[in-house]
Amino acid sequence: MDIDAWLWWLIGAAVLGIGLVITAMPELGMLAVGTVAAAAVSGLGGGAVAQVAVFAVVSTALIALVRPIARRHRAQRPELATGIDALKGRQAVVLERVDGSGGRIKLAGEVWSARALEAGRAYEVGQEVDVVDIEGATAVIM
């Protein structure tokens, strides 16, 4: 039984697609798109040289265009801060005197242990303070 070249290209695309799912390497997906393009060229009657050339050009172009965009996207920090990161920079109210050794504040509706960023500084009850860091379960304020 003689299988047409376009079918071989599609089998290659399927194998690359499976590899993409297993390894999560986006480059395999781009190569799979290149093989589908080569299958289209084969189905339209293009020769082996044209098929390989289309595969190489499409795959290389996708990798060259998509990888920098993906890398830049991966390097960006999420705009929505959650957890401890969401508390940094927020204001709190002192519930118990806070100094370098400890105290209590109300932060985001919850009572937190806190300490002053500067060891010699103290904050009195009712004073509004800024949270600069969270160390474990203790807010560092100024």
Side-chain angles (χ1 to χ4, degrees), residues 25-123:
M25 289 180 57
E27 292 83 1
L28 293 179
M30 295 173 223
L31 292 173
V33 172
T35 59
V36 170
V41 169
S42 175
L44 294 172
V49 172
Q51 295 170 34
V52 172
V54 166
F55 167 73
V57 168
V58 170
S59 298
T60 303
L62 283 173
I63 290 172
L65 293 173
V66 175
R67 282 184 82 196
I69 295 169
R71 184 173 290 133
R72 190 174 33 234
H73 180 64
R74 194 178 323 146
Q76 291 177 344
R77 290 193 58 161
E79 293 180 22
L80 176 65
T82 59
I84 292 173
D85 291 330
L87 299 175
K88 294 177 185 176
R90 295 204 45 192
Q91 286 194 330
V93 176
V94 176
L95 298 177
E96 292 177 11
R97 184 175 190 270
V98 178
D99 55 23
S101 61
R104 296 237 182 256
I105 60 170
K106 186 162 195 161
L107 171 62
E110 298 180 350
V111 177
W112 279 73
S113 61
R115 71 170 179 79
L117 177 64
E118 301 169 21
R121 180 77 196 247
Y123 302 92

Side-chain angles (χ1 to χ4, degrees), residues 13-24 28:
V15 169
L16 288 167
I18 292 169
L20 169 65
V21 171
I22 292 172
T23 64
L28 293 179

